[in-house]
Structures are given as structure tokens and as C-alpha cells.
Amino acid sequence: GENVEQHPSTLSVQEGDSAVIKCTYSDSASNYFPWYKQELGKRPQLIIDIRSNVGEKKDQRIAVTLNKTAKHFSLHITETQPEDSAVYFCAANRGGADGLTFGKGTHLIIQP
Amino acid sequence: DAGVIQSPRHEVTEMGQEVTLRCKPISGHDYLFWYRQTMMRGLELLIYFNNNVPIDDSGMPEDRFSAKMPNASFSTLKIQPSEPRDSAVYFCASSKAARNTEAFFGQGTRLTVV
């Protein structure tokens, strides 16, 4: 089955700096890659997603890049703010099937 | 729409007892997913339904776990008998008919088995 690896597990950055979280996946048939943000005690919420027919997608301060050949994708957050502090999960659909395989999460800490 | 609604929010039960978790998906969503979240294993897909029919239950950990979706607006996840290692947050999520679209999560049920 699909395996998604996510790094780092914890990331601390100064407010205003950029943050990058990286993920790799194993099943080359996977074609949908969402990113979810989960605040403490809350539900995961989608912040951005990308499909395999594009290499990059941007939404204001958030961008995601996808390298299908290398089977990895990354989340980029620019001009980080205190409200960006949360756990971020990458995911991949399971070889194109329904349902998602999630990475283990990255705890992003924004230092004031 | 109120979003995906789960109940109860918190459940504490004794080992060996039956536990039933409930979920109401967003109206019009044809897919319903049950996930489990623990510190050790992260978010894991347990089972999902399409148009009320179970499609893939390969993530269900043991026969003690079962799930049903009797109609488009209601699903249950049952654990019988419960064990301490079942302690986790259980999320229900739903999505529209189109494949690979956003999954909307409920608030989750935090289950503690003592």
C-alpha cells in the first residue's frame, strides 16, 4: 500500500521567516496530494491541495510543489505568523483510490 | 450546513464494554470516511463508504471493530469489546461524489478505554 513519509517532525521558525515541510510517497499511481492543518484539539482542515497534472500551486502565503519523478511534494509557507502555529499533515490518495494515507505530521512553531 | 457532526465528543469507558461512535456527514456528500488518530500511528484510514456501501475496510484493525451506514445521513463505528489500546481520537470525514476532492472532518470523538 501507499506509504507517506513527512519531515521534519518539529519545525521552529522566527515570525516572518519561511517554513518548508517535505513529504515523499511510494505509490507512483497516487495523483492527489492535500495538506491539512490541525490546531490543538481541533479537526484537520484542508489548506491546499495539488493534483498530479500540475507541478506547483499557490494560495497567498502558501504554496505546494510536486515532483512526480522523485515522488515528493513540499509545503511552503512564507511570512509566517503566530496563527500558523499548528500541526501540518501531508497526504496522498492511495494509488488513486479514495481515502488518504497521511504523513505523521509536522509541529510548526512560530517564535515571536 | 453545520458540517460533519460527530457524537459523543468524549467517551470514557471500561475495558470490555461496547462503544458506539456516531457521525452525520454533510448533506449531499456521497463519501464517508472513518479515521483514527493516535500519537504513535498518526491518522489512519479505517473504512470508507460510497453511497452508503462499505468499499474498503482493510484498515479496520480487528474484528472487534465494525461500521455501518444505514442511510445517507448517518454512520456508526462500533467497538466490541473495547480495549485500552483502542484509546484514540476517531474522526469521521465526508466528501462530494467526485473523486479526490476535499474531505471535511468532524470534530472527532476522543475515546478513552480504562
Side-chain angles (χ1 to χ4, degrees):
Chain A
E2 175 69 279
N3 183 48
V4 176
E5 299 283 342
Q6 182 171 349
H7 301 281
S9 57
T10 303
L11 178 60
S12 181
V13 301
Q14 290 293 126
E15 182 179 349
D17 288 350
S18 296
V20 180
I21 302 171
K22 298 181 179 182
C23 291
T24 61
Y25 61 99
S26 60
D27 194 329
S28 57
S30 293
N31 56 12
Y32 176 64
F33 308 93
W35 286 86
Y36 282 81
K37 175 182 180 182
Q38 186 178 29
E39 297 177 353
L40 187 62
K42 301 283 184 65
R43 73 187 83 191
Q45 291 189 290
L46 180 76
I47 55 170
I48 195 167
D49 57 13
I50 191 168
R51 289 171 175 78
S52 58
N53 58 344
V54 297
E56 184 173 359
K57 184 177 179 181
K58 191 173 182 180
D59 182 4
Q60 299 182 344
R61 296 186 297 109
I62 294 172
V64 58
T65 58
L66 172 65
N67 183 327
K68 285 191 296 184
T69 303
K71 289 190 282 190
H72 67 70
F73 56 114
S74 301
L75 177 71
H76 304 253
I77 305 175
T78 58
E79 301 172 13
T80 53
Q81 300 170 3
E83 54 265 36
D84 295 330
S85 293
V87 179
Y88 291 80
F89 294 92
C90 63
N93 64 347
R94 303 168 302 146
D98 294 304
L100 299 168
T101 297
F102 284 87
K104 287 292 189 336
T106 295
H107 185 192
L108 177 62
I109 301 165
I110 308 300
Q111 303 279 7
Chain B
D1 200 314
V4 177
I5 299 172
Q6 291 186 245
S7 64
R9 291 292 309 279
H10 302 275
E11 176 80 36
V12 180
T13 191
E14 292 187 346
M15 182 174 62
Q17 296 298 306
E18 177 180 296
V19 176
T20 299
L21 312 181
R22 297 171 174 79
C23 175
K24 181 183 186 324
I26 293 173
S27 177
H29 282 192
D30 289 341
Y31 287 83
L32 184 141
F33 307 87
W34 282 101
Y35 288 90
R36 178 173 68 176
Q37 186 175 35
T38 61
M39 287 295 294
M40 289 298 295
R41 301 176 67 87
L43 271 163
E44 302 173 281
L45 178 64
L46 300 178
I47 184 172
Y48 80 91
F49 297 81
N50 179 211
N51 291 322
N52 314 337
V53 176
I55 304 299
D56 184 353
D57 65 355
S58 61
M60 297 285 260
E62 300 171 36
D63 291 344
R64 299 184 295 105
F65 286 69
S66 62
K68 294 181 180 180
M69 192 165 186
N71 57 62
S73 59
F74 184 66
S75 177
T76 60
L77 178 68
K78 184 178 293 186
I79 308 172
Q80 165 63 21
S82 58
E83 297 182 4
R85 59 197 168 115
D86 301 331
S87 297
V89 180
Y90 291 82
F91 286 103
C92 173
S94 71
S95 65
K96 290 181 181 177
R99 266 190 157 183
N100 303 325
T101 57
E102 179 177 0
F104 292 83
F105 282 75
Q107 293 278 37
T109 295
R110 181 175 294 278
L111 174 65
T112 303
V113 183
V114 297

